[in-house]
Amino acid sequence: MRKRKNNLSFSTSINPRRPQSFKKLFSAKTRPLTAAIVGIALGDEGKGRIVDNKIQTFLNNKKVKKVAIVRFQGGNNAGHTVEKDNIKLALHLIPSGVLYKETINIVDRGVVVHPEDLVTEINYVEENAGKLDNNLFLSEEAILCTDLERAEESLNRMKSPAAKGGTGRGIGPAYAHHYDRLGLKLYHLLAKDWESTLFEKYKLYKKIFSTFGLKLEETVVPDYLQTLENKKAASREVGKEEVFLERLKKAREVILKRKLFRNTFPLHESIYKSRDTAVIFEGAQAAGLDAWLGTYPDVTSSNTSAFGIREGTGFWLPEDIEKIYGVFKIPYTSSVGSRIMPTHINTPNASGKKRMTKDQAWATWVREDAHEYGTTTGRPRDINFLDLPMLSYNIRMSGVNMLIGTHLDTANPTDKIKVCSQYLDKRGKRKSYQPGLRNLTGVKPKYVELSGWDGKECREVKNKKDLPENAKRFLGFLEDKLGYPIVAVTTGPSRENFISFRKS
Ligand code: IMP
């Protein structure tokens, strides 16, 4: 009897890394038309815009009919602004491609999903940008996060200052319970017996809270719906079990009715084989916040680099990807959380009477010029001088092969720009960057100063050669120090403020 040919079987005899049939399809080592976009600083680098630009680039390619955008880690602790046809949206969980008809948007198995917030975000997108075009898919294996994990995060904050920096979205506890195997997946919520599973979990949490003398139902958690309505951070109580279950039930019904969930594995198989589908892996947070290699303990709880794509999709490897872009802000780095980086500029609050130093005045100017305030919370972000030891380390550990710089317009001709070129230890000896806040304590940054330029002049520029000389010099300096090419920059807040230096 002739054996049925199984095109998708993972043959180990030829290449254990890739199915034989896939190998025949593409002779190149990487899968053509693939890109990953990851942050290499401390988050909020402007990755959403880069993803948006890459979607357009792919769609301008005649060979491409569809673009898949895959979120592989993080949850709605992230925030990115996307813009299309004068519609500007602040997204948190939904991939940046959702405004395009020709996209397949996947929230994959490595992502933490809070069902009610997801539904709120879908409604927000639809109210502001029109109906979603059946182009959003959730992995059934995504990590389920409810108000219980959020309440747990607030309990953790009481237990230890190490837990204080989190966004309150329950991301840490949700990932922790993936590792301790006590956590739930989206498929638990979709199952018939979901109510008893979640009721049991509620009872367990209630017991845990009572041992700390706390009432679970009165514990306050972020309220995304109210936040959107009030346009400022809002919170609510977890509520009694029936309230908790009712909220989840409503979100569950929407997910089921709209058939948002998928086994994403076959979806990836067909995307991989389709010659006219490009793929973008959309990173959230950044290498500096990576659970293992970031500023521990004030880190997020996932693998934020291109290496996280393996576990976050269960299918793709970083080696499959043609271009891995590391995104960073060119003249400075911003940070939210409790971490104090060696290059942190301690700005007094605006009402402070004290005269500001030159550095403080510059950081205050940067914060206003670049609007360095949280996407949802409006919280002012910390401003740090650009930190080359940290960036170099993050680039190396992220699997990045080229760089994209944002905020080239956040500069002025009168201020010099300070850049940390090296770390020195207490005795003035050179010290390497090592991950973890413990290793950054006591480190003294050594600075070099480079001349600034008229940032607003950059906005009109379409080619690298027409940029102000000092801006070009600064970019050259960074390429030289970081050892990687900067292939594009953004020069202002609108979509047009983007210069590609080469076919990237
Ligand atoms: P968590 O991810 O909510 O647990 O927060 C852990 C740390 O990561 C905190 O310092 C957060 O401020 C930071 N963080 C999480 N997501 C982002 C982001 O999208 N941008 C910047 N910082 C973030």
Side-chain angles (χ1 to χ4, degrees):
M1 201 175 74
R2 258 185 76 198
K3 252 189 163 178
R4 246 184 96 204
K5 199 173 161 205
N6 178 359
N7 271 339
L8 299 176
S9 71
F10 280 75
S11 158
T12 48
S13 58
I14 304 286
N15 178 356
R17 210 171 65 72
R18 187 167 289 132
Q20 204 178 336
S21 54
F22 293 175
K23 215 181 158 215
K24 272 188 217 143
L25 272 170
F26 304 110
S27 53
K29 265 192 150 186
T30 52
R31 154 66 157 82
L33 303 171
T34 46
I37 289 150
V38 295
I40 52 167
L42 296 165
D44 307 309
E45 295 94 349
K47 297 177 288 293
R49 275 187 69 188
I50 311 301
V51 173
D52 178 73
N53 183 278
K54 196 70 201 172
I55 296 171
Q56 292 174 60
T57 313
F58 274 141
L59 289 175
N60 287 336
N61 179 337
K62 283 196 194 79
K63 282 189 223 145
V64 175
K65 295 230 162 50
K66 286 250 172 209
V67 185
I69 295 99
V70 185
R71 276 281 310 266
F72 56 94
Q73 47 74 228
N76 65 343
N77 49 347
H80 46 275
T81 310
V82 291
E83 194 188 336
K84 187 172 177 269
D85 306 332
N86 293 327
I87 300 166
K88 215 172 184 175
L89 294 180
L91 299 180
H92 299 280
L93 188 66
I94 298 179
S96 293
V98 80
L99 295 183
Y100 292 83
K101 274 193 173 18
E102 309 86 341
T103 57
I104 305 163
N105 296 278
I106 303 175
V107 176
D108 225 321
R109 71 201 296 272
V111 177
V112 170
V113 175
H114 185 280
E116 296 139 70
D117 281 6
L118 171 78
V119 171
T120 302
E121 193 166 322
I122 291 174
N123 291 338
Y124 161 75
V125 171
E126 295 200 326
E127 272 160 29
N128 290 285
K131 267 226 141 338
L132 289 186
D133 211 22
N134 291 328
N135 62 351
L136 176 66
F137 304 106
L138 294 180
S139 165
E140 293 166 343
E141 310 219 8
I143 296 169
L144 183 68
C145 174
T146 66
D147 284 355
L148 299 181
E149 285 76 10
R150 292 183 171 181
E152 187 178 352
E153 183 169 343
S154 85
L155 179 65
N156 289 346
R157 282 183 190 166
M158 290 179 217
K159 289 192 217 157
S160 162
K164 282 219 159 72
T167 59
R169 301 296 186 286
I171 306 298
Y175 278 117
H177 296 317
H178 172 78
Y179 282 105
D180 68 15
R181 305 182 302 281
L182 296 176
L184 299 178
K185 303 281 176 169
L186 191 70
Y187 59 73
H188 286 110
L189 179 71
L190 303 177
K192 286 206 175 74
D193 60 352
W194 75 274
E195 212 159 351
S196 67
T197 310
L198 279 131
F199 182 46
E200 286 308 313
K201 189 160 176 168
Y202 184 96
K203 282 198 299 193
L204 175 68
Y205 271 65
K206 200 170 164 170
K207 216 181 271 172
I208 296 169
F209 271 69
S210 71
T211 62
F212 285 90
L214 299 167
K215 285 199 169 133
L216 173 63
E217 59 272 31
E218 288 173 10
T219 306
V220 169
V221 291
D223 185 333
Y224 178 42
L225 185 61
Q226 284 292 323
T227 300
L228 278 178
E229 278 168 11
N230 303 349
K231 293 195 170 64
K232 69 171 198 251
S235 51
R236 58 173 162 76
E237 292 180 351
V238 172
K240 290 213 161 27
E241 50 266 43
E242 54 280 10
V243 176
F244 167 77
L245 290 172
E246 185 56 29
R247 286 199 195 110
L248 275 175
K249 187 176 168 197
K250 281 195 187 138
R252 178 180 183 270
E253 276 163 8
V254 175
I255 294 171
L256 284 170
K257 196 162 158 220
R258 299 182 69 137
K259 297 197 170 66
L260 293 174
F261 57 93
R262 284 285 179 290
N263 171 3
T264 47
F265 195 85
L267 187 57
H268 283 306
E269 284 183 324
S270 69
I271 289 171
Y272 188 104
K273 293 206 297 176
S274 155
R275 287 169 188 270
D276 56 16
T277 304
V279 192
I280 300 173
F281 298 91
E282 177 172 21
Q285 290 87 38
L289 301 175
D290 184 277
W292 290 90
L293 302 176
T295 54
Y296 189 87
D298 191 356
V299 289
T300 192
S301 303
S302 57
N303 180 346
T304 57
S305 78
F307 295 103
I309 291 168
R310 189 186 67 107
E311 64 258 29
T313 62
F315 185 89
W316 296 83
L317 299 175
E319 297 96 300
D320 294 329
I321 302 165
E322 255 189 344
K323 288 170 181 166
I324 305 181
Y325 300 97
V327 186
F328 71 111
K329 284 171 180 159
I330 294 165
Y332 66 96
T333 299
S334 70
S335 161
V336 244
S338 55
R339 79 190 69 77
I340 300 290
M341 296 299 289
T343 61
H344 174 238
I345 310 162
N346 186 14
T347 46
N349 71 41
S351 62
K353 293 249 170 0
K354 271 201 237 145
R355 256 178 84 97
M356 283 196 229
T357 64
K358 215 165 99 205
D359 289 350
Q360 289 171 332
W362 183 76
T364 306
W365 176 79
V366 166
R367 185 179 291 128
E368 296 313 313
D369 190 72
H371 195 72
E372 285 293 352
Y373 293 92
T375 316
T376 314
T377 57
R379 185 159 67 144
R381 296 183 184 135
D382 281 352
I383 307 295
N384 305 316
F385 290 119
L386 199 66
D387 183 335
L388 298 184
M390 176 190 76
L391 283 180
S392 300
Y393 177 84
N394 288 350
I395 289 169
R396 175 174 146 70
M397 301 310 279
S398 297
V400 159
N401 45 36
M402 52 191 94
L403 306 176
I404 294 186
T406 59
H407 285 276
L408 190 68
D409 56 317
T410 308
N412 65 64
T414 46
D415 284 326
K416 292 224 173 215
I417 302 177
K418 267 166 83 168
V419 178
C420 167
S421 59
Q422 273 183 33
Y423 285 171
L424 303 176
D425 67 12
K426 282 183 193 122
R427 285 174 297 153
K429 282 219 165 114
R430 194 181 173 143
K431 195 175 185 300
S432 304
Y433 177 90
Q434 279 182 51
L437 284 180
R438 193 177 77 101
N439 296 313
L440 299 177
T441 320
V443 155
K444 249 179 86 69
K446 187 174 164 192
Y447 290 107
V448 289
E449 288 193 349
L450 286 96
S451 298
W453 56 90
D454 184 348
K456 306 310 161 258
E457 203 183 288
C458 299
R459 290 192 180 162
E460 311 307 320
V461 171
K462 298 279 170 264
N463 291 302
K464 186 177 185 181
K465 67 174 177 29
D466 300 325
L467 283 171
E469 283 310 313
N470 284 346
K472 282 191 272 190
R473 215 165 283 140
F474 197 84
L475 293 170
F477 167 81
L478 293 182
E479 286 188 324
D480 186 43
K481 292 286 173 201
L482 297 171
Y484 282 79
I486 299 174
V487 296
V489 293
T490 68
T491 57
S494 83
R495 288 179 117 194
E496 291 69 42
N497 302 136
F498 190 100
I499 314 175
S500 213
F501 293 164
R502 51 157 111 163
K503 228 166 155 261
S504 53

